[in-house]
Amino acid sequence: MLGMFMRRILSSFWETGRIAIIALLFAVAVRAFIFQPFLVRGTSMEPNFHHGDYLIIDEISYRLQDPERGEVVVFRYPHDLSQRYIKRVVGLPGETVEVQDGKITISGSSADPQTFTLDEDRYLAGGNTEGALRVKLGGNEYFVLGDNRMFSSDSRIWGSLPRKDIIGKVFLRIFPEFVYGKEI
C-alpha cells in the first residue's frame, strides 16, 4: 500500500516537472525569438512614450515584412551596437528625405516618384522638425526620428538606420505604474 502511494507521488512530481520544463522551454523560445521586453530610457519619444515605460517588442513581424512609415521600432544604435534605441520610421528604403523649414518632404524612389510633405499630426503635438538636410536612403536603409524632435538623437544627427540593426516594433506598452506597483 505504501509503495503504491509513493509511486503516485513520484508520478505526480514527474508530471508536474515535465509540465514545468515544457512551460520553461516555451517561455524561453518566445522570449528569444518572438517577443522581447524593453524599458524606455530618456525623453526622445515623448509625448507618446515616456521614460520608464515598459514595452514588449514584436521581433517576428519584420522577419515576414518590412517596417512601414509611422511604426515605432527598437533597434541597435548603429554607432554602438550594445545600445538600444527607440524611434519612429519616417523614411523608407530608396526614398529621399528632406528636412527644411520645420517640415519633412519625402521623394519616392524611381519606382514610385511621388513627392509629399509628411503629415505627422496623429503622433506629434504641433512640433516642428528642426534641421536642414537632404538624405537619399539606400536599398536597406531607414530614416528614423524621435517624437520629441527637440531632444532626440536620431537620423538627423547620426544618419540612416541599416535594416539589419532593427530588432522589432513596439507591440505593447505597459505604463510604469503597472510595472512598479505605484503611480509615478
Side-chain angles (χ1 to χ4, degrees), residues 30-32 34-46 48-59 72-77 80-88 146 153 165-176 179-180:
V30 166
R31 166 59 177 86
I34 299 174
F35 295 108
Q36 183 177 134
F38 179 79
L39 187 65
V40 176
R41 300 263 185 227
T43 61
S44 73
M45 289 300 289
E46 287 183 355
N48 299 303
F49 297 93
H50 299 278
H51 178 81
D53 280 355
Y54 188 81
L55 308 176
I56 302 297
I57 307 306
D58 169 4
E59 293 184 66
V72 177
V73 297
V74 172
F75 57 92
R76 289 178 290 279
Y77 174 53
D80 181 355
L81 298 177
S82 68
Q83 292 188 36
R84 305 290 185 260
Y85 276 31
I86 178 173
K87 303 291 177 213
R88 187 174 302 277
S153 172
D165 292 339
I166 297 175
I167 295 169
K169 67 180 173 180
V170 174
F171 175 72
L172 178 68
R173 173 177 53 177
I174 303 170
F175 294 100
V179 174
Y180 303 117

Side-chain angles (χ1 to χ4, degrees), residues 2-184:
L2 184 60
M4 194 160 79
F5 179 72
M6 290 301 288
R7 278 193 293 247
R8 280 188 191 161
I9 289 176
L10 288 175
S11 177
S12 177
F13 279 131
W14 172 244
E15 286 300 314
T16 303
R18 278 186 14 187
I19 291 170
I21 290 169
I22 291 169
L24 180 64
L25 291 173
F26 180 75
V28 168
V30 166
R31 166 59 177 86
F33 301 109
I34 299 174
F35 295 108
Q36 183 177 134
F38 179 79
L39 187 65
V40 176
R41 300 263 185 227
T43 61
S44 73
M45 289 300 289
E46 287 183 355
N48 299 303
F49 297 93
H50 299 278
H51 178 81
D53 280 355
Y54 188 81
L55 308 176
I56 302 297
I57 307 306
D58 169 4
E59 293 184 66
I60 200 154
S61 289
Y62 292 155
R63 293 180 186 166
L64 307 172
Q65 66 188 38
D66 290 324
E68 296 180 15
R69 189 180 335 278
E71 291 180 335
V72 177
V73 297
V74 172
F75 57 92
R76 289 178 290 279
Y77 174 53
H79 298 291
D80 181 355
L81 298 177
S82 68
Q83 292 188 36
R84 305 290 185 260
Y85 276 31
I86 178 173
K87 303 291 177 213
R88 187 174 302 277
V89 174
V90 172
L92 303 174
E95 294 180 334
T96 299
V97 178
E98 185 172 0
V99 177
Q100 188 71 38
D101 299 325
K103 298 185 190 287
I104 300 171
T105 304
I106 308 289
S107 301
S109 61
S110 57
D112 181 15
Q114 175 185 356
T115 298
F116 61 94
T117 299
L118 192 60
D119 179 11
E120 300 181 290
D121 288 342
R122 68 183 170 97
Y123 50 84
L124 287 184
N128 284 334
T129 303
E130 298 294 321
L133 62 97
R134 182 178 172 89
V135 177
K136 171 72 173 145
L137 298 171
N140 285 314
E141 295 178 331
Y142 292 83
F143 194 86
V144 294
L145 295 172
D147 290 350
N148 187 358
R149 302 287 162 80
M150 294 290 290
F151 301 101
S152 178
S153 172
D154 49 40
S155 288
R156 293 172 296 169
I157 296 167
W158 42 260
S160 62
L161 172 64
R163 171 71 167 86
K164 66 180 175 54
D165 292 339
I166 297 175
I167 295 169
K169 67 180 173 180
V170 174
F171 175 72
L172 178 68
R173 173 177 53 177
I174 303 170
F175 294 100
E177 58 264 20
F178 296 128
V179 174
Y180 303 117
K182 60 182 179 181
E183 192 167 342
I184 296 177

